[in-house]
Amino acid sequence: MARIAADDRRRIRAAFERQLDAGLHHGGQLAVYVDGELVVDVAGGTTGPEGDETTPDTRHVLFSGTKPYAGVGLHQLVEEGRADYDDAVVEHWPSFADAGSTKADITIRHVLSHTAGIPYGEFDEAVDEWGDWDAVVAAMEEIEPVFDPGERPAYHAFNYGWLVGELVRRISGEPIDDYVAANVFEPLGMDRTSIGLSDDEPDDVAALTGFEVFDRCRDPGEGLGIPASESAAVFNDEAVRRAVIPAATGIGTARDMARFYACMANGGVLDGTRLLKPETVAEATRTHAETDDDGTLSRPARYGLGFWTGGLANDMFGSLSRERQFGHAGLGSVFGWADPETNVGFAYVTNGIREESWEHAARVASLSDAVRLALSDG
């Protein structure tokens, strides 16, 4: 497997810097592992409109880039035999649904593959309650399906994290943030990553900027219907950053994220640390649900168990991505992926929120393509 040569690293950095020069975001980070070695680790720009210099150690909000971290915690518990993918959620969380109801048919596999049928609800807007885990649990117990379980893939933007988080807590006895810290971040040496900021650490996270229609070369729409400036304001709030939202408040760096995906690309092991068995990684990262019209995103989507899978047009994995690639985006500003065929872990993190289906996809795919071109040249 060829390494990325020095000249190719310079070209990748130049592509990264062109996006900063174009004003696509104020600051960003790009990290790439090949065969378990960190071969690209660059940062640039500022931590906000008037911020300090962005470095590889600058922490960012990862948005839905958090989902795979939480998902791997649940995969570990399944691997240990403490749960099964086809267990009904109520087997571990009895108050989740009434016996005999449609909701009681929701399984762990449904939750991980975004086919549980409860993709959104009123709690999505309850910002003031996001930091109250008891309120989270109550909201998930009260919500009713809008699709029958297993019937239709529909992206669970927040509910994925609430459901996975409470399942991990019920099965392991530990809060999701503590469990993932002890079983994912610490073993891999991801020392700049957490789910939510803890009470005893400063909020030194890069400030987010939402780029609206007048900042764009065209008007492609507003994705999930939430203006980018509103999303930036919500997640610049320190109280939200300190909330444990396993689908949205990952705080971390591109370097840590690329390390995570390097581990997944290598069958769940990196530098002698094993997070998952190869067969568990293979099951988690194959396509379990696919649609031409996602029930939330209204566009084509492929879901593994806690990951997106590649091979779709305009899917951020690159112009010629393969279905065996897997990873996850974070709201118009973050993307990470693994390619087990080339043993690559890739992460791109910025503080500028842009429309996902067009601007962000093009921004990420161009850097994904630059990395793949460098590998093929080698």
Side-chain angles (χ1 to χ4, degrees):
M1 168 57 204
R3 305 284 176 170
I4 295 180
D7 284 348
D8 289 319
R9 295 184 201 193
R10 284 192 287 271
R11 282 192 283 269
I12 291 168
R13 176 157 199 147
F16 169 84
E17 291 177 346
R18 279 196 297 274
Q19 297 193 0
L20 286 168
D21 293 341
L24 296 184
H25 38 265
H26 294 293
Q29 303 168 328
L30 174 67
V32 181
Y33 274 78
V34 179
D35 284 348
E37 178 186 356
L38 182 63
V39 298
V40 175
D41 187 20
V42 299
T46 60
T47 60
E50 299 178 3
D52 297 327
E53 178 186 0
T54 297
T55 74
D57 287 323
T58 301
R59 295 191 294 179
H60 291 76
V61 178
L62 303 179
F63 291 111
S64 289
T66 316
K67 287 181 171 75
Y69 299 157
V72 164
L74 188 50
H75 288 302
Q76 290 174 333
L77 295 169
V78 170
E79 188 174 273
E80 292 170 7
R82 300 168 73 177
D84 187 271
Y85 293 122
D86 294 314
D87 285 352
V89 171
V90 292
E91 293 181 41
H92 304 281
W93 181 357
S95 54
F96 175 69
D98 293 332
S101 66
T102 297
K103 188 180 177 185
D105 293 333
I106 296 173
T107 67
I108 291 175
R109 190 184 303 275
H110 292 148
V111 170
L112 289 168
S113 63
H114 294 270
T115 59
I118 47 176
Y120 38 74
E122 293 181 2
F123 200 72
D124 290 13
E125 307 298 326
V127 178
D128 292 343
E129 297 185 77
W130 287 353
D132 181 346
W133 196 260
D134 289 337
V136 167
V137 173
M140 293 303 99
E141 291 176 349
E142 292 169 5
I143 196 170
E144 291 298 328
V146 295
F147 306 118
D148 286 343
E151 176 189 82
R152 183 177 184 184
Y155 186 59
H156 290 49
F158 286 101
N159 291 351
Y160 169 97
W162 305 133
L163 296 171
V164 169
E166 182 61 6
L167 280 165
V168 167
R169 190 181 75 86
R170 297 267 175 161
I171 296 166
S172 72
E174 298 180 56
I176 180 69
D177 53 327
D178 291 343
Y179 183 89
V180 172
N183 293 279
V184 179
F185 302 148
E186 290 174 13
L188 269 189
M190 297 168 62
D191 55 8
R192 297 290 290 167
T193 301
S194 61
I195 299 179
L197 288 169
S198 65
D199 293 337
D200 60 353
E201 61 182 335
D203 180 2
D204 59 356
V205 182
L208 295 156
T209 298
F211 290 84
E212 303 299 345
V213 173
F214 52 82
D215 295 315
R216 299 173 176 153
C217 60
R218 59 176 142 179
D219 177 10
E222 293 184 343
L224 287 171
I226 305 170
S229 59
E230 182 180 327
S231 296
V234 169
F235 285 88
N236 280 335
D237 185 330
E238 183 175 340
V240 171
R241 292 177 173 188
R242 293 195 186 280
V244 176
I245 308 175
T249 55
I251 306 294
T253 66
R255 181 193 291 153
D256 279 359
M257 183 177 286
R259 185 167 179 79
F260 170 83
Y261 281 113
C263 179
M264 295 298 105
N266 196 47
V269 63
L270 185 67
D271 294 339
T273 296
R274 181 173 295 285
L275 292 187
L276 295 172
K277 296 176 182 177
E279 55 267 32
T280 306
V281 174
E283 178 67 7
T285 61
R286 70 175 178 86
T287 300
H288 286 253
E290 181 173 359
T291 179
D292 292 330
D293 183 15
D294 181 271
T296 304
L297 303 176
S298 300
R299 58 177 167 81
R302 281 178 175 157
Y303 297 114
L305 298 180
F307 297 91
W308 293 358
T309 57
L312 295 173
N314 204 38
D315 65 5
M316 304 188 213
F317 291 97
S319 301
L320 298 175
S321 73
R322 297 182 291 270
E323 190 170 348
R324 281 301 299 127
Q325 283 181 264
F326 56 89
H328 215 287
L331 182 66
S333 58
V334 174
F335 198 77
W337 54 259
D339 186 342
E341 294 184 18
T342 56
N343 202 6
V344 171
F346 169 103
Y348 185 39
V349 174
T350 81
N351 58 8
I353 305 173
R354 288 192 170 271
E355 200 280 334
E356 293 195 20
S357 298
W358 296 98
E359 290 182 339
H360 182 49
R363 175 172 60 175
V364 176
S366 67
L367 292 181
S368 296
D369 286 345
V371 170
R372 176 155 301 127
L373 179 63
L375 291 168
S376 63
D377 283 349

